[in-house]
Amino acid sequence: MVLCLLAVLAASIAAGQRERRELMERFRAEQDKLAHDAGETVARRVATVDRDLRLVADLVRRAQQHDPQPTPAREAALIGIFDALATAVAHYRTIGLFGPKMNGPIFALDPAEDHVEAGPALAAASERLARRTPGDNWEIAVDFLQVGRRRFYLVARPMAAGVVVISVDADLMFTDALLPTPAHERILVVEPSAAFWIACNIDSTCRGLGAGELPPELRARQPPPDPVAPAAVLALPARHVLWTARRAKTAVGDFLVAVVASTDDVEQLQSAALRRSLITAGCAVAVMLFFGALILREQRRSSTLATRLRAAQELAQVRERSDKILENAPLGIVGISRDGRVVFANRFLRRRLGASAESAADAGTAVPPVLAGWLADVREAVGRAFAVGQTVTFQGTDVPTSVHAMRDIEAHVVPLSNPIEGVDALVLIQDLSDFRALQRQLIRAEKLITVGALSAGIAHEVGTPLMVIRGRAEHLLEAAPGAPASRDLAAIIDQIDAITGTIRQVLDFAHPQRIEAQPADAAAVAARAADLLAWRFDRRRLTCSIVAAPATPKVRADPQQLTQVFLNLLSNAADASPDGASIRIALRAEEAAPARFVRIEIEDHGQGIAPENLSAVFDPYFTTKPVGEGAGLGLTVVAHIVRSHGGDVALRSTVGVGTTAAVLWPAAA
């Protein structure tokens, strides 16, 4: 990095020096072009004077050829030509023709020229120059005249007829020839006589000075190549100036045109360029330092992030494993907060509640409503677990809850020492419904075994004596029909018949009959069973109605066993109903994949069955009737017959309202 910084600094300084040189070279090129253009202008203006001399000489020669003898007319024509030329060219002051073959000099003066001071001086100087010029020499002659602060050039050209002399105002010639330039520049013109003009570019006329006032940079006629301090005579406010000179060769001699320009602006630009380079270098260094620090910081951060990433990946793997365990565990798991709010419920519990509770959501719902209601009921047990900081175990029957689906369970509230994402405790819920159902099946099986073992003994040991007793009682009743003991004999016979019926039920239950299934009209069978029990209904003023929905199919059943089912259910309904009540039998078709069924419902309006007894009503010898009024086998036989035909039976009961026995019997094909 240090080497990079040094390289940036060196490159910036080199760029600044290169830009300074380029600025000075461009400035020098501009000044050189300006001096070249000014020299060309001076040379063209002097060449114009020579051209006009040739023109005048040619006009004079033609006039002499046309009229060889000097006459007033020829002189008047030449004077008109001279006056027109002197008037047309601003810097021409006089034009004259001098010669021995003439009556006198022909001389024209610019009307704008001073006739008192400059006019006579120019006429005398022109005549002197003409006398000094040989008549046979066709090269021009030059003389200079100073009148006050004004300087004139006198240019003569000899010819056969005489000498033509034109006087030129140098101030006007250079002022008209040189274009204006900025105030921080000066243009100097040095004539062949070493006199010079200064500030020709900013005044209305050039300011002429003598040779003794020539700046030292021009005395050798070779300006210095490097910027120097300006001379006092230049009156140029600058710290340094650059001299640029060009020679202009003319017919009257060599002129030197010099341009003096201030380099202060260039130096300021150079300083600005150097400052920019240094600022650029400083910015580059600052940027490199910044990015170096940023890289170091990012390296440290990258190392930290790499460590965190590894830890996060490990944590994600652990969490994924734990989530899979929670979701696929064969028991319900609920995450709750300290205030009892449900955070999550696993798949097992969601599916179990979704299938068993009407108000629960489907398997995709995070928190089924039934679960939230159950947790509100068991908040005391949850609070106790948080208070003691240990696992609290309870069963659904141990707490008063209104959620029936959560009664056959065993729950464990496990508080967490380190809560995770709002979960302060886990509630592990084990469904005991299958276990309880298995218990009831085992108890029922034991009872069935007992019934089977006792049925043969009961039939032999009790049945035979009862038949003997019934036969003797009938014989006595027939022998003395009007005797005072006839009523007692009839009661004995009735009780023996009841005992025989009970024994027959036990035998039928222990030794089930063979099923001879055939299509049967369930409504007709129900009507026949009701007719058989009509004497009981009439004795207690009970009414029985049968309602069959249209298109109710026949059932596949053994008619005798189906009749027994109706008899047992109607007998129970009659026993549970108060006098004058009604019993309703409803039949309708019902689709339950993959088969078709007929739903049979027998509804009474009795006292109903307590909820805690509903799960035991189909057990052998379980009855809610008073002692001596029932053997507890009627519903057991019904359940056995229905299930042996491939159907199902269930009871719905409300205490104080009544009970409905619902039978789902397979329909005939």
Side-chain angles (χ1 to χ4, degrees):
M1 185 178 293
V2 174
L3 293 176
C4 291
L5 293 176
L6 293 176
V8 168
L9 289 175
S12 300
I13 294 174
Q17 295 293 341
R18 183 172 61 256
E19 189 172 358
R20 292 185 65 183
R21 289 193 300 270
E22 291 176 354
L23 287 172
M24 182 57 70
E25 290 174 359
R26 286 198 299 268
F27 182 72
R28 193 185 301 276
E30 292 174 359
Q31 300 307 310
D32 187 71
K33 184 178 183 303
L34 180 60
H36 179 270
D37 293 344
E40 290 291 328
T41 302
V42 171
R44 285 196 302 271
R45 191 55 57 88
V46 174
T48 302
V49 175
D50 182 56
R51 183 192 62 198
D52 291 343
L53 276 174
R54 294 177 182 272
L55 176 62
V56 171
D58 186 58
L59 291 174
V60 171
R61 185 171 59 255
R62 291 183 181 181
Q64 289 178 348
Q65 290 176 355
H66 182 269
D67 193 0
Q69 297 298 325
T71 62
R74 188 184 71 178
E75 292 179 359
L78 292 176
I79 289 175
I81 293 173
F82 292 170
D83 286 338
L85 185 59
T87 302
V89 182
H91 50 271
Y92 288 174
R93 299 293 87 193
T94 63
I95 301 175
L97 177 61
F98 305 91
K101 299 179 180 180
M102 301 174 58
N103 295 330
I106 299 173
F107 189 76
L109 178 66
D110 186 355
E113 187 53 64
D114 185 4
H115 291 269
V116 176
E117 181 178 359
L122 289 173
S126 297
E127 188 174 359
R128 287 195 301 269
L129 179 61
R131 291 195 187 100
R132 294 199 305 268
T133 303
D136 56 355
N137 187 2
W138 286 89
E139 294 183 359
I140 64 173
V142 181
D143 195 5
F144 302 95
L145 177 63
Q146 186 82 24
V147 180
R149 297 187 60 85
R150 299 176 64 188
R151 190 168 180 84
F152 300 92
Y153 294 160
L154 285 83
V155 184
R157 174 170 289 278
M159 52 183 297
V163 179
V164 179
V165 180
I166 297 178
S167 62
V168 181
D169 189 335
D171 292 351
L172 293 178
M173 182 177 69
F174 294 134
T175 301
D176 184 49
L178 302 177
L179 297 176
T181 56
H184 58 271
E185 294 181 352
R186 298 287 186 269
I187 297 180
L188 294 85
V189 180
V190 182
E191 62 186 25
S193 64
F196 77 103
W197 282 263
I198 189 173
C200 297
N201 56 315
I202 59 174
D203 296 334
S204 59
T205 59
C206 293
R207 181 160 54 91
L209 298 175
E213 297 178 282
L214 194 66
E217 289 81 5
L218 290 182
R219 289 175 185 168
R221 292 182 174 259
Q222 189 64 38
D226 297 324
V228 296
V233 71
L234 297 175
L236 189 61
R239 292 183 302 171
H240 297 91
V241 295
L242 179 67
W243 287 82
T244 307
R246 286 292 181 270
R247 293 183 179 275
K249 295 184 177 296
T250 66
V252 300
D254 292 344
F255 285 81
L256 182 65
V257 180
V259 177
V260 185
S262 172
T263 61
D264 292 351
D265 293 342
V266 178
E267 291 177 354
Q268 291 179 0
L269 293 175
Q270 290 176 336
S271 300
L274 184 59
R275 283 196 302 271
R276 285 196 303 271
S277 299
L278 293 177
I279 291 173
T280 303
C283 292
V285 170
V287 169
M288 292 182 66
L289 291 176
F290 171 76
F291 280 104
L294 188 63
I295 290 172
L296 292 177
R297 189 186 68 176
E298 290 301 322
Q299 287 179 345
R300 291 195 296 268
R301 180 178 296 179
S302 176
S303 177
T304 304
L305 290 177
T307 303
R308 292 181 179 179
L309 179 60
R310 288 193 297 271
Q313 290 175 344
E314 295 175 358
L315 180 61
Q317 293 175 356
V318 172
R319 181 168 182 174
E320 183 180 3
R321 288 195 295 268
S322 62
D323 289 344
K324 288 183 177 179
I325 293 173
L326 290 176
E327 282 295 311
N328 298 288
L331 75 161
I333 302 176
V334 183
I336 61 174
S337 61
R338 185 169 291 274
D339 57 358
R341 181 175 54 86
V342 181
V343 179
F344 74 89
N346 72 335
R347 185 186 306 166
F348 177 87
L349 187 59
R350 291 197 306 268
R351 290 180 176 176
R352 185 61 58 91
L353 293 179
S356 60
E358 296 181 357
S359 60
D362 56 14
T365 304
V367 182
V370 65
L371 179 60
W374 178 77
L375 286 174
D377 293 339
V378 300
R379 66 166 61 92
E380 187 275 333
V382 174
R384 187 168 69 253
F386 281 120
V388 300
Q390 296 179 354
T391 302
V392 173
T393 302
F394 62 91
Q395 294 186 355
T397 55
D398 297 337
V399 294
T401 175
S402 60
V403 183
H404 178 72
M406 301 294 289
R407 287 181 178 174
D408 288 337
I409 57 99
E410 183 178 68
H412 307 271
V413 182
V414 183
L416 302 179
S417 57
N418 297 314
I420 302 175
E421 296 182 357
V423 178
D424 295 290
L426 294 178
V427 181
L428 310 180
I429 302 173
Q430 185 176 3
D431 189 357
L432 300 180
S433 58
D434 294 339
F435 176 72
R436 298 267 173 87
L438 182 60
Q439 280 184 329
R440 289 191 292 269
Q441 291 177 4
L442 291 176
I443 293 173
R444 186 178 293 113
E446 291 178 355
K447 290 180 179 180
L448 291 176
I449 293 173
T450 303
V451 170
L454 293 176
S455 60
I458 291 174
H460 183 270
E461 299 295 335
V462 178
T464 301
L466 285 177
M467 291 299 102
V468 174
I469 295 172
R470 189 179 188 284
R472 294 301 179 96
E474 287 181 348
H475 178 71
L476 292 174
L477 184 61
E478 291 176 357
S486 60
R487 294 181 61 185
D488 296 333
L489 292 173
I492 292 172
I493 293 172
D494 290 340
Q495 293 300 319
I496 290 173
D497 289 339
I499 294 172
T500 303
T502 301
I503 293 173
R504 186 180 298 109
Q505 286 183 352
V506 172
L507 291 175
D508 291 342
F509 180 74
H511 303 285
Q513 301 176 5
R514 179 184 176 188
I515 298 176
E516 296 181 358
Q518 57 182 322
D521 187 352
V525 175
R528 187 164 54 251
D531 290 340
L532 293 176
L533 296 176
W535 63 274
R536 296 184 62 180
F537 295 160
D538 294 340
R539 188 173 60 185
R540 299 184 52 197
R541 302 187 310 279
L542 300 176
T543 60
C544 180
S545 61
I546 301 174
V547 180
T552 302
K554 293 183 178 182
V555 297
R556 181 180 177 276
D558 187 317
Q560 293 183 357
Q561 296 187 25
L562 180 59
T563 303
Q564 186 176 0
V565 169
F566 277 110
L567 287 174
N568 288 349
L569 293 178
L570 288 174
S571 297
N572 287 341
D575 292 341
S577 298
D579 294 345
S582 62
I583 300 173
R584 180 175 180 271
I585 303 175
L587 300 94
R588 68 175 186 274
E590 183 168 319
E591 299 290 339
R596 191 181 184 198
F597 292 85
V598 174
R599 177 173 287 276
I600 305 170
E601 292 185 349
I602 301 177
E603 179 183 3
D604 65 55
H605 297 85
Q607 295 299 319
I609 303 173
E612 61 271 14
N613 295 330
L614 279 175
S615 61
V617 293
F618 294 104
D619 292 343
Y621 306 117
F622 178 83
T623 181
T624 59
K625 297 178 182 179
V627 178
E629 296 186 8
L633 293 175
L635 289 179
T636 304
V637 172
V638 168
H640 179 74
I641 293 173
V642 172
R643 288 166 183 165
S644 63
H645 280 77
D648 196 10
V649 61
L651 293 185
R652 299 193 309 270
S653 182
T654 302
V655 177
V657 177
T659 302
T660 299
V663 178
L664 201 64
W665 202 289

